[in-house]
Amino acid sequence: IQRVSGDDVFIYDLQGELVEQYSIEDMYISIEYVSKDGKNIFADDFENLYVMDAATLKEKGKIAKDKCEYDENCTYAFSNDGDICVIIDKAKGQFRSYDVEEESLLYTVDINATYIEKVIFAENDKYVYFVFEDGLVSQYVCDTMEHKCDVEGLDSITDDIIEKEQDGESVYYFDYVTGMYMLKDYEGQLKLEQD
């Protein structure tokens, strides 16, 4: 279990005892968030976007900001494995996905990026979700960045997608202020259902 506070990373065991503490003060980077499984830290500095091993703080991958057209109008999110980086470019009205290892562009997709509030990857990195300010959530297939569906009626409190196994297949739940909502497939149409 990890916690990031200021310039420090704290690692706890399952009993809540502090196991290790790292200081990143001398690294001159800004830690943005930690992967859901706690294995990767995602950070940036003036020049690069980083994937770092949470236990050792060693760099696992990076993308140079000038290679991925990242500027002050952009926000980003890494897949949980840290192999894909999605950059939201509000000025250009698009998102781009990159292969982190190769530092290469995979896909560019036009989208009304101005109102995207969050980017969330499913736990298994199969899907990526774009959460809009007005409660719309768009689901894309991570490998192809193909649009799968839009879901309305959620809001900015949605900040997690939970994957559960149900009848031998993965089902995705949106964590929402009024409870859990599940994406279900009804004859080829994805719909939202309260659990």
Side-chain angles (χ1 to χ4, degrees), residues 82-94:
D83 57 343
I84 294 175
C85 181
V86 169
I87 294 179
I88 307 301
D89 190 331
K90 294 190 175 188
K92 291 184 179 176
Q94 61 184 207

Side-chain angles (χ1 to χ4, degrees), residues 46-184:
F46 295 111
E47 297 176 358
N48 302 294
L49 305 176
Y50 294 96
V51 181
M52 299 165 57
D53 185 285
T56 64
L57 288 186
K58 293 205 184 311
E59 180 186 308
K60 293 172 78 174
K62 71 178 178 185
I63 298 182
K65 286 184 177 180
D66 60 352
K67 263 193 169 178
C68 61
E69 300 178 62
Y70 184 90
D71 63 29
E72 66 275 356
N73 293 310
C74 300
T75 56
Y76 72 93
F78 282 96
S79 60
N80 295 297
D81 286 341
D83 57 343
I84 294 175
C85 181
V86 169
I87 294 179
I88 307 301
D89 190 331
K90 294 190 175 188
K92 291 184 179 176
Q94 61 184 207
F95 73 82
R96 298 181 296 274
S97 68
Y98 292 86
D99 179 302
V100 175
E101 185 178 341
E102 300 291 325
E103 286 195 71
S104 61
L105 177 66
L106 297 171
Y107 300 98
T108 299
V109 178
D110 291 332
I111 194 170
N112 187 3
T114 306
Y115 301 104
I116 293 177
E117 191 166 279
K118 294 179 188 135
V119 181
I120 307 168
F121 281 86
E123 287 176 295
N124 64 1
D125 291 335
K126 184 174 181 180
Y127 298 111
V128 61
Y129 298 86
F130 298 93
V131 181
F132 292 80
E133 291 173 10
D134 65 358
L136 176 74
V137 176
S138 288
Q139 180 191 44
Y140 285 77
V141 178
C142 195
D143 289 344
T144 62
M145 287 302 161
E146 171 192 351
H147 180 258
K148 186 130 172 88
C149 72
D150 289 330
V151 179
E152 295 179 355
L154 300 178
D155 70 10
S156 61
I157 293 171
T158 303
D159 61 2
D160 202 10
I161 306 293
I162 296 160
E163 177 192 356
K164 293 187 179 182
E165 192 76 21
Q166 187 175 30
D167 298 327
E169 64 180 84
S170 293
V171 177
Y172 298 92
Y173 287 81
F174 293 89
D175 188 9
Y176 184 54
V177 65
T178 60
M180 298 295 291
Y181 283 81
M182 175 172 53
L183 263 183
K184 277 194 144 178

Side-chain angles (χ1 to χ4, degrees), residues 22-49:
Y22 296 102
S23 176
I24 58 159
E25 188 174 9
D26 297 332
M27 296 176 77
Y28 305 107
I29 61 169
S30 171
I31 291 181
E32 297 297 319
Y33 61 101
V34 179
S35 63
K36 290 180 193 202
D37 61 10
K39 293 181 181 176
N40 293 318
I41 290 176
F42 305 110
D44 65 42
D45 62 14
F46 295 111
E47 297 176 358
N48 302 294
L49 305 176

Side-chain angles (χ1 to χ4, degrees), residues 13-28:
D13 62 21
L14 293 177
Q15 287 72 43
E17 297 294 320
L18 182 64
V19 176
E20 208 156 346
Q21 177 180 346
Y22 296 102
S23 176
I24 58 159
E25 188 174 9
D26 297 332
M27 296 176 77
Y28 305 107

